[in-house]
Amino acid sequence: MTSEPDPYIFSTDILPSDLRFLPPLANGLLGWRVYNNIMHMGGVYNGEVETEEPAQNTYSLDTHTGIFTHTLSTASVTVSQSLYSHRYYSNMMVMEILMVRQGTSEEPITVKLVSSFTPQSKDIVFESAPDYKVGRHIQGQTTTAEFPGASCPTVHLIWIPAPLTLTLPAQQSEARWGFILVVANSVESAEASFDEGLNLMATGALRPSHEKAWKELWLQSKVEVVGSDSLCKALIGCMFYLLSAFPSIHDTSRCFGGVSPGGLSNGGDGQDYWGHVFWDQDIWMYPGIALFYPKLARAVLEYRVGTIDGAMENAQKQGYKGLKFPWESAVSGREVCPEDIYGQQEIHINGDVTLAFQHYLYLTEDLSMFTQGKGSEVIYGVADYWVSRITWNLEEKKYHLLGVMPPDEYYYNVNNSVYTNTVAKFSLQFAVELAGLLQHPAPKEWQEVADNIKIPFDEKLQYHPEYDGYIKGYPVKQADTVMLGYPLGLPMSREVRRNDLEAYEPVTDPHGPAMTWGMFAIGWLELEEAEKAQHLLEKCFNNIQGPFQVWSESSDGSGAVNFLTGMGGFLQAVLFGFTGFRVQKDSLVFSPLLPNDISELCVRGVNYLGLVSKLKSFTCQKDDAVRHCYSYTFSTSVFSGHPVTFPREPGCICKLASTSSCWPF
């Protein structure tokens, strides 16, 4: 009896011809692409194992454990080379070699380690330091500060050098070797981490501690479907790579640098946006992770809090009050976009940041993030920016936002981007709401502008133009106006929601960024047209590059790699589309709907108001006789001591409210 292949393991006999699509290995602090010679802070191990006799090669990424393994098999020996970024000790990277004798020969067996690792960097001036125990040690400083007057970070690397060959001694059946590299910002920290690594190797706990950390992470989330192996595998890949870009759930003391579109393993000179942080983090990657991991969600918010000073300087340079978060952000929060027009005009980033904070509060009711955590400074600072940036139009008696670039970057210097104005309206409303919760006196202008900002709408055609003067049918780069329904949640009739989808879907660039089609899919799911949604979601598969489920920004393989933004949009289409989850002020709303080829969706670990330990899983099953789900089961539910199944009728919506009750509407 043949067992089904594990969807969490991505295997192949041949590496992709385009080496950009080798799997990235990251842990929230360090990241690198397998066999590449560059990691986020310099160089690391690279290259393959070779033998003189003919060999069968297998390459496998186990997403259960975050370990990439190259297995080389000959008549006399099987060699396994394992690579991983340690999930618990996040400043440590590991290579392990296992040689196992095959056949009856008892002669020594030697394999080559092909490596191009050289301790050098164009960004850091390295110099040799005294060897530490069995490790080589180099140290250096970055060549350029992020902005004039800022310090240049110091970097220390200590690693066990890998030899050119490894030999399995005569008459010995197997042998193991381990190599570690640690990175730190002080010699004391580097030496302590290296000592920890040596101790873990000596006690046999190096790999087990890594695997345990990944196991703990996976226990807090599960997103799987029955009926489509490709969809299931894509979802697993999305969760794995997104989680790899976030810090450890055990270590919140480190300074998290945010999540870039290409993650930690990409972002070299001129590549993948230089590793900068965009709205991609807050709008596209964050929601799917926040639904399961409040600690990781908070890390994203703390990153933005840490850039408040830079955001204040950005606003002042533009001549406005409050905070202006950069279109491209690094450590300081000052604008680092190489082209001024984006930083000047793509101001919707401010609303995107506040939307993440609002989402977090509604999911967790954690007011400490807004008091001790200084999140309120972000919300109030953004509100002040909108009030100072807005212009009153006497003729329309509405507030206008002039000279902006919408999310659709084909257009710039336009007035009243419907997305920008809507996200500004909602962030002002949230500022008023938060001020009430914290008993902070809210300036009356916040509510005044929120109530009277223009939201472009065509009464005749009953749809939302992308901006003032937009001509229906003009090309669109990516999801923009369709995001009014989700994630913004702008109230509108079903007719208007449909009109928006039908207006923008045919004119959206088919080679635009990958996250777009997920938003269209969610829209059609809201309208209970699951097959249309599925067709659009399938477009995302063109961006998934085999065999390791690596995403490219565009369907032709061009653009940023590994494109976490596209993964985030794809994941949201399932988590917030198929389930209908909506995080609202006083409830978590859900309304499941599955396409024909999906018979079951299982989501485990949703963390709502800290109830994850009781609300363990959500399973949505479909009756073949109808298009809607007929049941959803909460295992070990908060509602009783036994699993509870609620009847599902077309159009039924249930609310999981803070009162821990559920009822059909």
Side-chain angles (χ1 to χ4, degrees):
M1 184 175 179
T2 305
S3 60
E4 291 292 324
D6 188 337
Y8 284 79
I9 298 177
F10 309 151
S11 296
T12 181
D13 295 335
I14 303 173
L15 292 177
S17 58
D18 188 335
L19 298 183
R20 296 180 306 143
F21 303 133
L22 286 168
L25 301 176
N27 58 19
L29 179 66
L30 300 179
W32 66 299
R33 193 171 66 237
V34 169
Y35 300 142
N36 192 17
N37 64 347
I38 297 175
M39 70 174 182
H40 187 59
M41 299 177 70
V44 74
Y45 304 113
N46 127 327
E48 299 187 62
V49 180
E50 288 186 355
T51 61
E52 292 184 357
E53 58 182 321
Q56 174 68 42
N57 293 283
T58 302
Y59 305 89
S60 177
L61 174 64
D62 187 342
T63 62
H64 290 293
T65 60
I67 296 175
F68 177 86
T69 301
H70 170 205
T71 302
L72 182 152
S73 300
T74 73
S76 59
V77 69
T78 296
V79 185
S80 297
Q81 176 193 35
S82 297
L83 308 165
Y84 54 95
S85 296
H86 206 287
R87 185 66 234 188
Y88 190 91
Y89 301 97
S90 54
N91 63 339
M92 186 183 302
M93 307 185 81
V94 183
M95 178 174 73
E96 297 173 336
I97 306 288
L98 169 64
M99 292 178 63
V100 179
R101 187 181 298 276
Q102 304 296 321
T104 58
S105 171
E106 296 184 354
E107 297 298 316
I109 302 174
T110 298
V111 298
K112 296 179 181 179
L113 290 180
V114 181
S115 174
S116 63
F117 171 58
T118 53
Q120 62 185 18
S121 169
K122 62 182 296 184
D123 302 313
I124 302 171
V125 178
F126 279 118
E127 59 183 25
S128 296
D131 289 352
Y132 182 70
K133 297 185 177 178
V134 297
R136 300 277 177 82
H137 180 195
I138 58 173
Q139 63 186 22
Q141 282 188 311
T142 55
T143 56
T144 307
E146 183 187 332
F147 60 93
S151 61
C152 292
T154 300
V155 179
H156 290 262
L157 280 80
I158 304 179
W159 74 97
I160 299 175
L164 296 176
T165 62
L166 294 173
T167 299
L168 178 63
Q171 300 182 342
Q172 188 169 320
S173 61
E174 66 177 56
R176 298 174 185 269
W177 295 265
F179 306 90
I180 60 172
L181 175 145
V182 299
V183 182
N185 57 12
S186 70
V187 63
E188 294 81 11
S189 179
E191 290 177 351
S193 296
F194 193 73
D195 287 341
E196 183 70 51
L198 293 178
N199 180 61
L200 291 167
M201 292 172 66
T203 59
L206 184 62
R207 181 184 288 219
S209 60
H210 166 77
E211 292 180 342
K212 180 183 177 183
W214 263 111
K215 183 177 181 180
E216 290 175 344
L217 204 59
W218 278 121
L219 283 174
Q220 294 188 35
S221 69
K222 179 180 180 180
V223 186
E224 294 180 1
V225 298
V226 176
S228 171
D229 292 342
S230 58
L231 176 58
C232 192
K233 207 163 191 174
L235 289 170
I236 291 167
C238 288
M239 284 297 297
F240 171 75
Y241 288 124
L242 283 166
L243 285 172
S244 297
F246 280 79
S248 167
I249 57 175
H250 298 285
D251 184 3
T252 57
S253 64
R254 296 189 182 278
C255 182
F256 176 50
V259 187
S260 180
L264 277 165
S265 58
N266 296 286
D269 186 21
Q271 298 176 341
D272 302 337
Y273 306 110
W274 293 271
H276 295 161
V277 177
F278 295 71
W279 75 314
D280 304 49
Q281 170 191 256
D282 311 85
I283 288 292
W284 298 102
M285 307 171 201
Y286 168 89
I289 297 299
L291 199 59
F292 303 102
Y293 303 93
K295 284 186 179 179
L296 301 186
R298 181 160 177 155
V300 168
L301 308 189
E302 289 171 343
Y303 166 74
R304 290 299 187 183
V305 168
T307 64
I308 283 177
D309 289 345
M312 185 179 299
E313 182 174 307
N314 296 336
Q316 291 171 352
K317 284 184 176 180
Q318 290 188 357
Y320 301 116
K321 298 178 181 179
L323 305 177
K324 164 59 177 68
F325 285 94
W327 180 241
E328 296 191 32
S329 182
V331 175
S332 71
R334 289 162 174 80
E335 184 63 66
V336 291
C337 182
E339 298 180 63
D340 289 342
I341 190 170
Y342 296 97
Q344 291 291 325
Q345 295 194 13
E346 207 149 0
I347 60 175
H348 65 81
I349 179 66
N350 263 11
D352 305 325
V353 169
T354 58
L355 193 65
F357 279 82
Q358 182 178 358
H359 185 94
Y360 177 81
L361 180 61
Y362 291 173
L363 264 177
T364 67
E365 291 188 351
D366 177 15
L367 278 173
S368 70
M369 180 64 238
F370 298 86
T371 52
Q372 299 98 304
K374 299 184 179 180
S376 59
E377 294 184 26
V378 171
I379 306 306
Y380 302 157
V382 168
D384 288 339
Y385 177 84
W386 292 129
V387 170
S388 67
R389 178 68 168 77
I390 210 82
T391 299
W392 177 252
N393 183 281
L394 187 60
E395 181 180 350
E396 294 189 9
K397 292 184 170 49
K398 290 287 183 182
Y399 288 103
H400 288 194
L401 281 172
L402 307 177
V404 304
M405 180 185 288
D408 173 14
E409 293 169 329
Y410 283 170
Y411 304 98
Y412 57 91
N413 205 32
V414 303
N415 299 331
N416 296 314
S417 150
V418 68
Y419 178 93
T420 305
N421 287 24
T422 300
V423 83
K425 176 186 181 75
F426 289 165
S427 56
L428 284 162
Q429 289 176 338
F430 181 59
V432 173
E433 177 189 334
L434 183 65
L437 287 172
L438 301 182
Q439 298 182 332
H440 173 83
K444 65 181 186 337
E445 292 85 1
W446 291 357
Q447 189 67 58
E448 164 69 16
V449 174
D451 289 343
N452 294 286
I453 190 170
K454 179 179 180 180
I455 307 298
F457 183 71
D458 189 315
E459 292 287 352
K460 181 180 179 181
L461 298 178
Q462 287 291 296
Y463 91 114
H464 292 94
E466 190 180 277
Y467 53 84
D468 282 356
Y470 173 78
I471 298 175
K472 189 177 180 182
Y474 271 31
V476 170
K477 177 185 178 183
Q478 62 186 54
D480 185 312
T481 307
V482 295
M483 298 174 70
L484 299 180
Y486 175 88
L488 300 191
L490 180 69
M492 68 183 77
S493 68
R494 291 171 64 88
E495 176 193 5
V496 171
R497 183 69 160 131
R498 178 181 295 275
N499 290 344
D500 283 351
L501 292 168
E502 291 180 342
Y504 293 103
E505 182 183 324
V507 298
T508 298
D509 190 338
H511 302 296
M515 67 281 192
T516 289
W517 302 116
M519 293 301 103
F520 280 101
I522 290 176
W524 287 116
L525 286 164
E526 287 178 349
L527 297 174
E528 300 183 6
E529 298 205 27
E531 304 317 314
K532 276 191 176 182
Q534 183 68 2
H535 171 70
L536 289 166
L537 202 57
E538 286 172 356
K539 288 190 175 185
C540 297
F541 285 91
N542 295 327
N543 297 73
I544 303 175
Q545 310 296 332
F548 300 111
Q549 302 295 306
V550 169
W551 281 58
S552 58
E553 183 172 6
S554 300
S555 58
D556 61 1
S558 63
V561 178
N562 186 22
F563 194 48
L564 298 181
T565 311
M567 295 186 199
F570 185 80
L571 186 62
Q572 287 186 64
V574 173
L575 285 177
F576 297 92
F578 288 168
T579 67
F581 279 140
R582 293 294 182 272
V583 180
Q584 298 186 350
K585 181 179 179 180
D586 58 359
S587 61
L588 178 64
V589 178
F590 59 99
S591 180
L593 177 64
L594 301 181
N596 285 335
D597 59 345
I598 305 299
S599 59
E600 184 174 302
L601 165 68
C602 181
V603 180
R604 181 185 67 203
V606 172
N607 194 322
Y608 179 63
L609 305 183
L611 297 177
V612 66
S613 61
K614 296 180 180 179
L615 180 59
K616 289 187 177 178
S617 70
F618 165 94
T619 301
C620 178
Q621 296 174 312
K622 191 178 64 177
D623 185 345
D624 289 337
V626 296
R627 292 172 61 84
H628 293 77
C629 308
Y630 71 85
S631 71
Y632 29 88
T633 303
F634 290 96
S635 301
T636 320
S637 166
V638 295
F639 313 119
S640 71
H642 305 282
V644 178
T645 301
F646 298 96
R648 169 66 173 163
E649 299 295 338
C652 166
I653 297 177
C654 280
K655 289 188 176 182
L656 171 61
S658 55
T659 56
S660 298
S661 59
C662 185
W663 61 95
F665 271 62

